[in-house]
Amino acid sequence: MFPGQGSQSKGMGADLFDRFSDWTAEVDGILGYSIRELCLEDPRGELGQTKFTQPALFVVNAMTYRARQDAGRPAPDFVAGHSLGEYNALVAAGVLEFATGVRLVSRRGQIMSQVSGGGMAAIIGLEPARIEALLAETEAGGRLDVANFNSFDQTVIAGPKEDLAAVKDQFEASGARAYIPLNVSAPFHSRYMRDAETAFGAALAEVTFRAPAMPVLSNATGQPYETATARETLARQIGHSVRWLDSMLYLLKAGATDFEETGPGTVLRQDPAADKTATGEAGVECSPRSPRENRLTIVPAAESPRSSSRA
């Protein structure tokens, strides 16, 4: 599993840029600036800006996976990535070339950075269906979208800031443990990103998508990519919900029990043994501390079928 925005930090990739100097030089040539300097020193304070965050995190994720493979680790049975991390999953599965991925995430970051206004908020403690029902009850809620179905316990909504503020009391009165505005520059993964989605679709027009070496879970559908519709599926991700919960449920039903996060940080999983409250087919618990656009913890339930499948 590859993380998305929110996992970046100054110093990430410190042991990778010299080790994979061929990729480092290739990335510098594509981007026109030093990826090593951005990640390790960030002298201009740009690492937190989405047009720089996206290529930086993509490169560190990709190098981390390359190091994993160079160490002789077995190939995963499935790959998935949260938002930006989906591009790493596509590269890991051989659907996209590494250099193509760099160009795409750079362009994606540029396009998304042009959207301003609006915001996002994490709702902790209500199931997704309840959140959707509550949004439908008010005029302000009708102008908001579910951006991330992260877990049974955490959902992120997006839209105009005044509408996000207007529904806060409604969710808290309905039992939410926390309603937390996120520090983001735009309402990502919502209807307000549809122009950006269309613009990015044009950038995908000339890209060649190959058949995956292993299934790649799509954020837009929560199901494996189909080669014939890969271009449309990837473009759709920008202006529609990230269905991460559906992806994780798919993996658990497929028998996956070993969830490995590949990239900086550990925002996507923790040791399954750490959770004692898993119920149903999967226990998926999010952390209320320092919520990010993509914060969640994946915990396979005790009763899930055991196999050697890896994700």
Side-chain angles (χ1 to χ4, degrees), residues 205-223:
E206 303 302 320
V207 174
T208 297
F209 290 81
R210 296 176 299 205
M214 73 281 287
V216 181
L217 276 294
S218 162
N219 284 188
T221 67
Q223 300 292 311

Side-chain angles (χ1 to χ4, degrees), residues 289-300:
R289 297 171 295 172
S290 302
R292 298 169 178 172
E293 180 193 349
N294 68 341
R295 175 170 285 276
L296 72 165
T297 301
I298 303 304
V299 186

Side-chain angles (χ1 to χ4, degrees), residues 44-99:
R44 292 168 292 279
E46 296 168 329
L47 188 57
Q49 299 175 31
T50 191
K51 65 180 179 181
F52 292 102
T53 305
Q54 295 199 30
L57 188 55
F58 170 83
V59 169
V60 173
N61 283 351
M63 288 183 173
T64 302
Y65 182 77
R66 182 176 171 182
R68 177 194 188 279
Q69 298 309 100
D70 285 356
R73 299 284 303 281
D77 297 297
F78 305 90
V79 286
H82 193 287
S83 192
L84 170 74
E86 187 168 313
Y87 292 77
N88 288 107
L90 290 167
V91 171
V95 176
L96 297 173
E97 296 281 358
F98 171 71

Side-chain angles (χ1 to χ4, degrees), residues 65-308:
Y65 182 77
R66 182 176 171 182
R68 177 194 188 279
Q69 298 309 100
D70 285 356
R73 299 284 303 281
D77 297 297
F78 305 90
V79 286
H82 193 287
S83 192
L84 170 74
E86 187 168 313
Y87 292 77
N88 288 107
L90 290 167
V91 171
V95 176
L96 297 173
E97 296 281 358
F98 171 71
T100 300
V102 174
R103 293 186 179 93
L104 285 177
V105 298
S106 177
R107 182 59 181 146
R108 181 179 186 265
Q110 291 167 4
I111 291 172
M112 291 176 68
S113 70
Q114 294 170 7
V115 181
S116 61
M120 304 174 78
I123 302 169
I124 313 296
L126 292 177
E127 291 193 358
R130 178 60 174 153
I131 290 171
E132 290 182 295
L134 288 170
L135 288 176
E137 290 180 2
T138 66
E139 186 175 344
R143 292 188 290 268
L144 299 171
D145 294 332
V146 174
N148 297 347
F149 292 94
N150 277 345
S151 74
F152 289 120
D153 201 49
Q154 187 207 82
T155 301
V156 176
I157 60 176
K161 289 183 177 180
E162 58 271 22
D163 293 323
L164 289 170
V167 300
K168 180 177 185 292
D169 290 346
Q170 176 194 20
F171 282 107
E172 292 179 339
S174 298
R177 295 199 307 275
Y179 182 92
I180 308 171
L182 303 185
N183 183 23
V184 295
S185 59
F188 300 128
H189 303 297
S190 73
R191 74 188 83 169
Y192 303 101
M193 299 296 294
R194 298 289 165 77
D195 288 345
E197 179 179 302
T198 300
F200 186 65
L204 292 171
E206 303 302 320
V207 174
T208 297
F209 290 81
R210 296 176 299 205
M214 73 281 287
V216 181
L217 276 294
S218 162
N219 284 188
T221 67
Q223 300 292 311
Y225 262 84
E226 296 181 5
T227 305
T229 57
R231 184 175 290 104
E232 294 78 8
T233 300
L234 190 57
R236 181 176 173 82
Q237 185 212 69
I238 291 178
H240 293 78
S241 304
V242 171
R243 297 188 173 276
W244 186 250
L245 175 58
D246 287 344
S247 293
M248 297 300 102
L249 291 175
Y250 177 93
L251 291 173
L252 289 166
K253 289 178 181 178
T257 58
D258 183 6
F259 292 82
E260 179 181 339
E261 185 163 2
T262 304
T266 56
V267 301
L268 293 179
R269 72 174 300 278
Q270 68 180 16
D271 184 348
D275 181 71
K276 304 300 182 184
T277 62
T279 58
E281 291 186 57
V284 186
E285 182 172 349
C286 63
S287 168
R289 297 171 295 172
S290 302
R292 298 169 178 172
E293 180 193 349
N294 68 341
R295 175 170 285 276
L296 72 165
T297 301
I298 303 304
V299 186
E303 63 268 36
S304 296
R306 295 292 173 183
S307 76
S308 60

